[in-house]
Amino acid sequence: MNRITINPEVLRHNIEVIDGWMTKHGANWTLVTKVLCGHSDTLHVLQKLGVRSMGDSRIDNLQAIERIVPNFESWYLRLPHLSAVPQIVAAADVSLNSEIEIIKAINKEAGRQNKLHRIIVMIELGDLREGILPGSLVGFYKQIFELPHVEVLGIGANIGCLAGAVPNKDQLMQLALYRELLELKFERKLPMISAGSSSVLPLLLEEQVPKAINHFRIGEAVFLGTDLINAGTLPGLRDDAITLEAEIIEIKEKNLVPMGDTSLITPFDNDLTNDENAETNPYRRGYRVIVAIGQLDTDVAGLTPRHPGFRIAGASSDVTVLNIGEDDAGLKIGGTISFGVNYSALLRLMSGKYTEQVIEPPLAKFAEKLKDTEQVKIPPVVETL
């Protein structure tokens, strides 16, 4: 059986380390749970750890969190779509916005629900995803800052989430200046600049993030420890919180290079190894293992065998093939091979229905252990402003 194992002790470690970085910088942060896809056991782990500010891009997931973590502060992280404004206002305390028409619809709906909905105005800084152009910021804010059922918490940005633009200090300084401009122009405080993400953490560790950037939305670094700028793992974090275990369905000694002519008739890109030492000798033989996981289940290009000598040779919709070396490495049919996952691979595994997802060590055992230790706390952001 294939399964994703989620280690709560590693999650706790990463949360504590990142929370320490936030405290040192004087910032608040929201844990981005999108990749969990509402997985209840992991949400229970976060609840046990005292996490009370979480963000997601799916309304169903926010509702799942609410069932497990009562009174948590909810951030809706996808730009609100007009057809879902009633559900977004009901499910989220804060949303990220860039369209006046939608903000006015949120204001009207929040009034109908007798709520105050808080927003971050997103500004485009070069990644060409969401955000208004800086030149239109004053006119934009003028139309929304007096809406009675909407509170503008501040401004924000996404950098590196689409085009891969690398965050830099100058971009973040621009946001600080934009906030100063709005505060002077309208004589009204904007307490938050929400521009930190996992991609900004390398700058934070180099003390290159301006103090004005006081809110971070962090997900990938918590679950995978990823250094998105320099590759590898961020200093102090662990990359083994989540592991894929895929069941072995064949072990055989075979040629390592296909015989005869090959073409691009396969539906998937099988140049997965990026291995400069890939075998080219058509007569060389070695052991190949097939595991019961494929492109239907995950992004196979985002899998890395935990064993340093194993290499992914290719994948179809249902299976993945590995070259494992000169012998069978003691592997058996029905056993498993463990893989690390990147964000893309993990997202598809968690959102799919074909792979079991388990907490290891089990939640009850982890909760019992927590009784004897001090918990990390991620309080609601708005309450601390």
Side-chain angles (χ1 to χ4, degrees):
M1 177 181 292
N2 302 324
R3 68 177 191 166
I4 281 283
T5 62
I6 301 165
N7 188 319
E9 294 172 352
V10 179
L11 290 182
R12 181 188 185 192
H13 169 86
N14 285 352
I15 288 171
E16 288 179 337
V17 171
I18 292 170
D19 193 59
W21 297 343
M22 298 296 110
T23 300
K24 181 179 179 181
H25 186 70
N28 298 298
W29 66 296
T30 295
L31 199 158
V32 177
T33 58
K34 291 186 291 185
V35 77
L36 298 180
C37 301
H39 184 243
S40 60
D41 283 352
T42 310
L43 293 175
H44 276 293
V45 168
L46 300 180
Q47 186 267 336
K48 296 292 184 184
L49 290 174
V51 178
R52 292 297 182 273
S53 181
M54 289 185 247
D56 212 297
S57 60
R58 297 294 187 271
I59 298 168
D60 288 351
N61 293 346
L62 290 177
Q63 293 169 341
I65 299 171
E66 176 63 34
R67 290 191 292 270
I68 294 167
V69 190
N71 302 316
F72 84 109
E73 180 182 83
S74 53
W75 286 60
Y76 186 71
L77 301 180
R78 180 164 64 179
L79 291 180
H81 37 310
L82 201 57
S83 61
V85 162
Q87 296 96 314
I88 292 168
V89 171
D93 300 307
V94 185
S95 61
L96 314 181
N97 286 267
S98 65
E99 288 288 348
I100 289 172
E101 180 183 358
I102 291 179
I103 296 172
K104 290 181 176 179
I106 288 173
N107 176 68
K108 183 176 179 180
E109 180 62 31
R112 192 186 68 80
Q113 295 187 26
N114 195 28
K115 294 181 68 174
L116 179 67
H117 186 84
R118 297 174 173 90
I119 68 170
I120 298 293
V121 176
M122 300 298 284
I123 300 174
E124 167 56 51
L125 289 182
D127 200 51
L128 300 179
R129 207 176 86 161
E130 74 265 49
I132 65 174
L133 295 177
S136 63
L137 180 58
V138 170
F140 189 97
Y141 186 64
K142 185 177 181 179
Q143 296 185 63
I144 62 173
F145 85 100
E146 289 187 338
L147 294 174
H149 305 291
V150 166
E151 178 186 0
V152 182
L153 278 180
I155 57 177
N158 264 318
I159 310 170
C161 294
L162 179 66
V166 178
N168 61 65
K169 183 178 181 179
D170 289 343
Q171 290 171 316
L172 301 176
M173 285 297 298
Q174 288 176 39
L175 285 175
L177 294 174
Y178 295 147
R179 181 174 70 175
E180 289 181 17
L181 170 65
L182 291 176
E183 289 182 336
L184 289 171
K185 175 73 174 176
F186 296 97
E187 298 182 346
R188 186 166 179 158
K189 285 292 184 182
L190 291 172
M192 184 180 293
I193 300 180
S194 178
S197 65
S198 292
S199 66
V200 177
L201 290 178
L203 281 179
L204 182 73
L205 296 180
E206 296 171 0
E207 300 184 347
Q208 296 296 305
V209 175
K211 287 292 185 181
I213 309 302
N214 60 358
H215 182 253
F216 286 68
R217 308 180 304 272
I218 306 293
E220 183 166 351
V222 168
F223 297 108
L224 300 175
T226 313
D227 184 335
L228 291 168
I229 304 304
N230 305 302
T233 305
L234 285 163
L237 298 186
R238 292 176 59 177
D239 65 355
D240 59 340
I242 298 176
T243 297
L244 168 66
E245 297 176 354
E247 184 170 351
I248 298 168
I249 56 177
E250 180 182 292
I251 307 171
K252 283 188 169 49
E253 186 180 16
K254 298 184 179 182
N255 289 340
L256 299 181
V257 177
M259 302 298 289
D261 295 333
T262 60
S263 70
L264 298 178
I265 63 172
T266 58
F268 302 105
D269 179 8
N270 274 323
D271 185 17
L272 300 175
T273 62
N274 297 315
D275 184 2
E276 294 180 356
N277 300 314
E279 185 60 53
T280 58
N281 180 352
Y283 304 106
R284 177 85 181 272
R285 292 175 67 82
Y287 276 83
R288 279 198 160 196
V289 168
I290 300 178
V291 293
I293 201 119
Q295 300 286 10
L296 182 62
D297 308 284
T298 188
D299 176 6
V300 176
L303 304 181
T304 302
R306 295 288 192 195
H307 190 294
F310 294 175
R311 296 288 182 270
I312 295 177
S316 68
S317 57
D318 303 310
V319 302
T320 296
V321 180
L322 297 95
N323 294 330
I324 64 168
E326 301 294 327
D327 56 46
D328 64 11
L331 298 175
K332 303 293 184 183
I333 298 297
T336 61
I337 291 179
S338 297
F339 298 84
V341 296
N342 71 6
Y343 193 85
S344 173
L346 178 59
L347 188 64
R348 285 175 54 184
L349 285 163
M350 296 300 291
S351 63
K353 61 182 180 179
Y354 300 111
T355 306
E356 182 186 16
Q357 301 149 3
V358 299
I359 299 293
E360 187 62 47
L363 181 60
K365 183 177 180 180
F366 176 67
E368 185 65 29
K369 184 176 180 180
L370 280 180
K371 292 180 180 180
D372 301 322
T373 60
E374 184 178 351
Q375 294 184 37
V376 63
K377 299 286 187 180
I378 303 179
V381 172
V382 175
E383 289 184 5
T384 64
L385 294 175

